Amino acid sequence: QVQLVESGGGLVQPGGSLRLSCAASGRLFSLSTMGWYRQAPGKQRELVARITSGGTTNYADSVKGRFTISRDNAKNTVYLQMNSLKPEDTAVYYCKRGATMEGGSWGQGTQVTVSS
């Protein structure tokens, strides 16, 4: 079945950059909307960015202009380039297959910590 494995998280200083990767298994990747979500302690999980099979993207207002989602269907991989990171970006970031928070598949999550 579909498995999603995130990588690229870590500790970064404010203003720095990280690139998250999500490697997917299965045959449905190229047909699927993919999203990045995040959840900070004490907060609800929220959509960060989403990309459709056709390459259309959507972003949370809080990350517009700073984050870029992309995909490489030949590699079954979706990326999240995060620039100008802020402490409020600190969260566990999850990759998900599917257009909404319901159904689909979730990755295990990767921790992003933005701190001086």
Side-chain angles (χ1 to χ4, degrees):
Q1 298 303 108
V2 174
Q3 296 278 68
L4 305 173
V5 180
E6 301 99 330
S7 62
L11 175 65
V12 65
Q13 294 185 353
S17 297
L18 285 174
R19 190 192 196 199
L20 306 184
S21 298
C22 173
S25 65
R27 301 182 300 276
L28 300 178
F29 180 84
S30 65
L31 303 176
S32 300
T33 293
M34 301 294 297
W36 286 98
Y37 296 74
R38 68 186 181 188
Q39 187 166 24
K43 295 191 174 183
Q44 300 292 321
R45 187 171 298 189
E46 64 175 348
L47 175 68
V48 176
R50 186 164 53 207
I51 185 167
T52 70
S53 61
T56 300
T57 59
N58 297 101
Y59 298 92
D61 287 341
S62 59
V63 307
K64 284 182 180 177
R66 300 188 298 120
F67 291 11
T68 303
I69 188 170
S70 62
R71 66 194 298 161
D72 186 338
N73 289 339
K75 296 182 178 180
N76 272 23
T77 301
V78 62
Y79 305 95
L80 185 67
Q81 178 67 47
M82 305 186 294
N83 299 326
S84 302
L85 282 161
K86 305 174 180 180
E88 50 262 47
D89 295 319
T90 296
V92 177
Y93 284 70
Y94 298 90
C95 179
K96 185 183 185 298
R97 179 184 63 80
T100 72
M101 293 187 68
E102 301 294 325
S105 303
W106 291 93
Q108 83 286 356
T110 185
Q111 177 72 48
V112 172
T113 302
V114 185
S115 180
S116 299

